[in-house]
Amino acid sequence: MWELERRCFSLPWSEEQCRAAFGQAAFAAFGLWDGQRLVAYISLYLVGAPTPSAYTPCGELEILNLAVEPTARRRGCGRRLLLLALQAGRKMGMQKALLEVREHNGAALALYRACGFALAGRRRRYYADTGEDALVLERPLAEPPGRAAP
């Protein structure tokens, strides 16, 4: 995961941060593999996950990172992982999904909008390497993933 991070992001998580994330109970990740090589992954944080006895949706599925090997992009890997994560969050009773994305990342914005995410806010000068704003996107999880939310 750490090696793919370095190939995909200008501010990648360190190897230590990746290892520490897997030690947290609220952290989850899904990956796509080509043999022994990780070609894409999505990492998630479950905020306020419902208890097994809870019957009403609560909590948020925060999408931390969605990374696809540069040579494997535009083949649907990111969409597959995103839809899987949204489906898992819905089945776990999460109320909504949210994420932050660079305001000029057109490919990511197109993917998220196609999967029902809408603008919820902006974090000014969020990214330390460029000073770029982060757009906060969210989507309710009551609708099945892949269908645009109202």
Side-chain angles (χ1 to χ4, degrees), residues 17-105:
Q17 287 172 309
C18 289
R19 288 183 193 283
F22 281 98
Q24 297 179 31
F27 178 83
F30 298 104
L32 293 177
W33 297 81
D34 181 7
Q36 298 271 330
R37 193 178 76 134
L38 180 66
V39 294
Y41 81 89
I42 189 168
S43 61
L44 317 162
Y45 196 77
L46 311 173
V47 181
T51 62
S53 62
Y55 293 102
T56 57
C58 63
E60 299 172 349
L61 177 73
E62 182 178 355
I63 297 167
L64 302 174
N65 285 328
L66 175 56
V68 178
E69 177 72 48
T71 59
R73 291 182 182 160
R74 313 237 11 116
R75 297 183 190 165
C77 295
R79 182 178 176 84
R80 254 175 84 189
L81 286 172
L82 179 59
L83 294 177
L84 175 66
L86 295 175
Q87 182 180 45
R90 184 170 178 237
K91 286 184 178 184
M92 289 186 304
M94 303 306 261
Q95 186 176 9
K96 67 180 175 178
L98 62 97
L99 57 88
E100 294 154 345
V101 62
R102 289 177 186 262
E103 66 179 329
H104 295 112
N105 189 340

Side-chain angles (χ1 to χ4, degrees), residues 130-143:
T130 62
E132 190 172 7
D133 289 358
L135 301 180
V136 179
L137 305 181
E138 68 178 37
R139 119 188 262 297
L141 290 179
E143 285 291 320

